[in-house]
Amino acid sequence: LSVSAGRQSVDIDSAVDNEINSGVSASYTMGSITIGAALNQVDSAGGTQGSDAEVSSLNLAFAF
């Protein structure tokens, strides 16, 4: 089992707001099968207030 989380603040000189990036991911491996998921979010993209986005992903991998 693997879990990670991160947060980053980007200071943009010409913008009123700072861009905030955050995310969390987890994966579990049993034998040759791995399942993972991730959720990432950006607030004030490019320093523009109200320009927010979210991305999620699910991954299933088989090794043989």
Side-chain angles (χ1 to χ4, degrees):
L1 177 66
S2 176
V3 178
S4 65
R7 179 179 166 89
Q8 175 186 25
S9 177
V10 180
D11 183 18
I12 301 170
D13 291 335
S14 62
V16 176
D17 288 343
N18 290 342
E19 180 178 297
I20 306 293
N21 301 293
S22 58
V24 62
S25 66
S27 67
Y28 179 72
T29 302
M30 182 185 334
S32 62
I33 300 173
T34 300
I35 187 166
L39 176 62
N40 295 298
Q41 179 177 342
V42 61
D43 296 323
S44 300
T48 305
Q49 185 178 15
S51 123
D52 304 335
E54 240 179 52
V55 175
S56 59
S57 66
L58 182 61
N59 182 39
L60 180 62
F62 299 92
F64 52 92

